[in-house]
Amino acid sequence: MSLESLYQALILKHYRDPRHRGTLETPDASVRMRNPTCGDEIGLFLGIRDGRIETLRFQGEGCSISQASASMMASLLEGRTLAEASAIAQRFTEMLHGDAQAARDPSLGDLRALVGVARYPARVRCALLAWNALAEAQRSLEAEEEPR
């Protein structure tokens, strides 16, 4: 099995059997986003404890890339600090924009299976949809912390 075939199998595995799919009854942050280009949707729900992502759930509809990316993200980020999540998001974005070093970064875990998406700019938006929702959730959490 070639590396590309292995990556495709991993993407389909996350798409068909997503991890961390669902909602939270009382999330600390929740965001819904839609990719206007293709109509893919993601709802993201975060439970935060002591600056760490204690629970991350998502709901969504769309292509295998957007849904697999959300599943991989949730699997990778639970238990991480918000700063660690931001660093991984940055590295993932670099990979999707063709950074070869980022594509070899082991901190991305299963997300490296999406390296081929970099060849299809229209699909990059699909892969980043959940990550953009995460960034928006982080901004809302930071806004809540700012003194008024």
Side-chain angles (χ1 to χ4, degrees):
M1 178 180 270
S2 72
L3 185 58
E4 188 169 322
S5 295
L6 181 66
Y7 281 171
Q8 288 175 352
L10 188 56
I11 291 166
L12 290 175
K13 184 177 176 183
H14 275 274
Y15 174 64
R16 292 178 179 148
D17 185 23
R19 282 73 168 171
H20 307 277
R21 191 172 188 84
T23 62
L24 297 178
E25 219 170 277
T26 56
D28 294 299
S30 64
V31 173
R32 292 203 175 275
M33 286 202 151
R34 183 173 185 268
N35 182 345
T37 306
C38 63
D40 288 1
E41 295 181 350
I42 289 287
L44 195 68
F45 309 91
L46 294 175
I48 306 296
R49 181 174 294 235
D50 299 327
R52 290 189 180 275
I53 299 172
E54 183 178 57
T55 311
L56 193 162
R57 296 290 179 268
F58 76 97
Q59 287 188 321
E61 292 183 25
C63 69
S64 60
I65 299 298
S66 69
Q67 303 304 301
S69 180
S71 174
M72 293 174 186
M73 179 183 80
S75 296
L76 188 61
L77 297 187
E78 274 195 349
R80 305 241 186 193
T81 66
L82 292 171
E84 290 169 338
S86 292
I88 290 170
Q90 178 62 37
R91 201 67 172 146
F92 181 59
T93 302
E94 291 168 358
M95 182 187 82
L96 290 178
H97 288 99
D99 185 318
Q101 283 188 320
R104 292 188 298 272
D105 188 335
S107 72
L108 294 180
D110 286 353
L111 289 165
R112 289 183 296 167
L114 295 167
V115 67
V117 173
R119 294 189 305 256
Y120 308 98
R123 304 303 300 270
V124 169
R125 286 182 171 194
C126 298
L128 288 175
L129 184 60
W131 296 86
N132 291 337
L134 175 68
E136 185 60 32
Q138 287 183 298
R139 280 191 287 276
S140 73
L141 289 167
E142 290 167 3
E144 289 176 10
E145 292 177 2
E146 291 180 8
R148 296 173 193 223

